[in-house]
Amino acid sequence: MNYNTEILTADKSSIQKAAELIKSGEVVGMPTETVYGLAANALDPEAVSKIFIAKGRPQDNPLIVHISRMEMLEGLVTEVPELAVKCAKKFWPGPLTMIMPKSDKIPKTTSGGLDTVGIRMPSNKTARELIGTCGLPLAAPSANLSGSPSPTSAQHVFDDMNGRIPCILDDGRCAVGVESTVISFERDCIRLLRPGFISVSDLKEVTDKVIVDKGVLDVVSQDAVVASPGMKYKHYSPKADVTIIDGSLDSFRKYVADNKTKNTWCMTFSQDDLSEIDCPAVIYGSTDEEQARRIFDALRELDKHGAEKVFARCPNKTGVGLAVYNRLLRAAGFQVIKL
Ligand code: TXA
Ligand code: MG
């Protein structure tokens, strides 16, 4: 692993080049509408194992398989539940991953040893063209080092993967900014394993039986058997010690004023939140959607500033806000102060 990593503007010729690399068993940085991914041939265990090495990812954490057309689904799974057909019609292409029983074509390396596989059809044009040009399903986790915030720009991928992969296709900033919604199916219910841009109320348009898995908002112990292995790993951790302050703006300001030390930073919704407090800050947006787009960049920015302690304003826990809250909770190691 000692590549001269190139950032290539995503166009026809760079997509062709990236596809050739993937077909020869290499790993490439791929833009999607959610976050950047590390893409390799999902059907080739050797290529997939290079993803785990590049990320430093635990072997039992399964990868999502990306397709560009409905016909590609055939042969990858042994059963497509009726609810999955409905969700595909409504949300694909887009930021939704569906867990289904895997066929023998998907190697255990890709599925982290599980008998199921998560499938997603991204809407990002470059991703779709790359998958189409390869003519292969692509396994792709988020393109960060394991445990770091997910990358939402080609530069973020470069910061983590320089020397570890041959190239990154640069398609600008990700439109959504948080990873896909992950769901599984149980009889006539949808189980939400990871919240994303497709929200609980979006899913309820397909069935009103939507169960939010306990792991979405609760700490999962290291030795627990969980529905989605990714839930038990420490995630998105900036170097700073992050605490979520769950309360009104006034109580936030007072808490910061009373508790800040020399190298404390704030993570706020707007510049306005900062009036009356003398504390440097990274602003991550005032709507759920903007916060989703900005959260990972904000966490990386705090590291660049060398922040030691961070007090973050608490996002909404509904709609896309639930996805932002879920990521921030992990970045904060579940430290929440309710005021
Ligand atoms: O938006 C996304 O989903 C991005 C882009 C690149 O597509 N990918 C992504 O992959 O976030 P990753 O590997 O960082 O997160 C995948 C999550 C993990 O928490 C994993 O445990 C879960 O999905 N997952 C994958 N396959 C699964 C399966 N068969 N059963 C349960 N959970 C699964
Ligand atoms: Mg990830």
Side-chain angles (χ1 to χ4, degrees):
M1 199 165 49
N2 194 9
Y3 294 97
N4 186 7
T5 307
E6 284 183 288
I7 300 183
L8 306 171
T9 302
D11 58 23
K12 235 185 162 48
S13 77
S14 61
I15 291 172
Q16 187 65 41
K17 181 174 173 179
E20 293 307 326
L21 282 163
I22 288 173
K23 284 196 278 184
S24 72
E26 296 291 337
V27 178
V28 156
M30 168 178 79
T32 82
E33 71 279 19
T34 56
V35 301
Y36 276 73
L38 284 181
N41 178 358
L43 309 180
D44 176 357
E46 237 174 86
V48 167
S49 66
K50 289 185 189 169
I51 296 179
F52 285 89
I53 294 167
K55 269 185 77 85
R57 179 174 175 116
Q59 300 278 335
D60 69 343
N61 196 357
L63 306 179
I64 292 171
V65 173
H66 298 68
I67 59 174
S68 59
R69 292 173 290 112
M70 226 28 212
E71 302 81 75
M72 288 180 87
L73 186 60
E74 266 167 56
L76 299 181
V77 297
T78 56
E79 187 204 327
V80 183
E82 210 177 299
L83 279 175
V85 176
K86 287 188 181 160
C87 286
K89 280 202 180 118
K90 202 164 173 60
F91 303 117
W92 275 2
L96 179 71
T97 297
M98 300 196 275
I99 312 288
M100 289 176 265
K102 79 168 195 69
S103 77
D104 292 340
K105 264 181 94 177
I106 303 279
K108 288 260 179 179
T109 319
T110 303
S111 70
L114 298 176
D115 295 325
T116 55
V117 62
I119 310 269
R120 161 160 131 78
M121 188 191 290
S123 60
N124 175 278
K125 202 163 155 271
T126 301
R128 295 163 64 76
E129 279 176 20
L130 181 63
I131 300 164
T133 309
C134 293
L136 290 166
L138 301 184
S142 51
N144 51 288
L145 285 172
S146 198
S148 297
S150 291
T152 50
S153 71
Q155 185 60 45
H156 291 164
V157 182
F158 187 84
D159 291 345
D160 279 17
M161 290 297 147
N162 185 15
R164 294 170 176 260
I165 55 173
C167 76
I168 302 159
L169 289 176
D170 185 353
D171 194 22
R173 298 236 162 213
C174 297
V176 170
V178 288
E179 308 89 336
S180 60
T181 304
V182 178
I183 59 173
S184 62
F185 304 96
E186 286 165 22
R187 296 172 305 277
D188 56 347
C189 301
I190 291 177
R191 178 176 289 274
L192 177 71
L193 300 176
R194 180 175 73 181
F197 191 78
I198 307 291
S199 66
V200 172
S201 57
D202 292 334
L203 294 170
K204 283 195 171 160
E205 287 174 26
V206 175
T207 171
D208 54 4
K209 292 181 182 151
V210 179
I211 306 162
V212 177
D213 196 89
K214 212 173 157 300
V216 168
L217 293 175
D218 287 348
V219 190
V220 176
S221 83
Q222 283 303 305
D223 44 8
V225 178
V226 290
S228 183
M231 293 198 284
K232 72 182 178 194
Y233 294 108
K234 197 163 187 249
H235 253 223
Y236 318 120
S237 306
K239 293 180 190 79
D241 177 30
V242 179
T243 305
I244 300 174
I245 310 298
D246 189 354
S248 66
L249 176 56
D250 278 345
S251 62
F252 175 81
R253 285 176 176 155
K254 182 164 178 355
Y255 187 88
V256 173
D258 292 346
N259 291 279
K260 73 181 162 81
T261 53
K262 221 178 85 212
N263 200 1
T264 297
W265 282 66
C266 289
M267 214 173 131
T268 61
F269 301 154
S270 70
Q271 192 63 40
D272 215 37
D273 293 357
L274 291 160
S275 61
E276 296 163 46
I277 36 178
D278 177 26
C279 191
V282 168
I283 290 155
Y284 79 114
S286 47
T287 64
D288 295 346
E289 287 75 15
E290 202 183 336
Q291 288 168 10
R293 265 195 308 276
R294 287 270 303 132
I295 182 168
F296 289 130
D297 188 47
L299 292 171
R300 283 176 181 259
E301 217 178 290
L302 288 163
D303 272 352
K304 280 206 180 127
H305 290 301
E308 269 168 35
K309 212 167 181 20
V310 174
F311 295 132
R313 289 212 65 197
C314 187
N316 287 325
K317 294 164 195 160
T318 52
V320 184
L322 182 65
V324 181
Y325 183 60
N326 168 275
R327 306 314 190 271
L328 193 58
L329 258 183
R330 280 155 180 78
F334 292 88
Q335 299 184 90
V336 182
I337 290 182
K338 267 197 174 307
L339 296 177

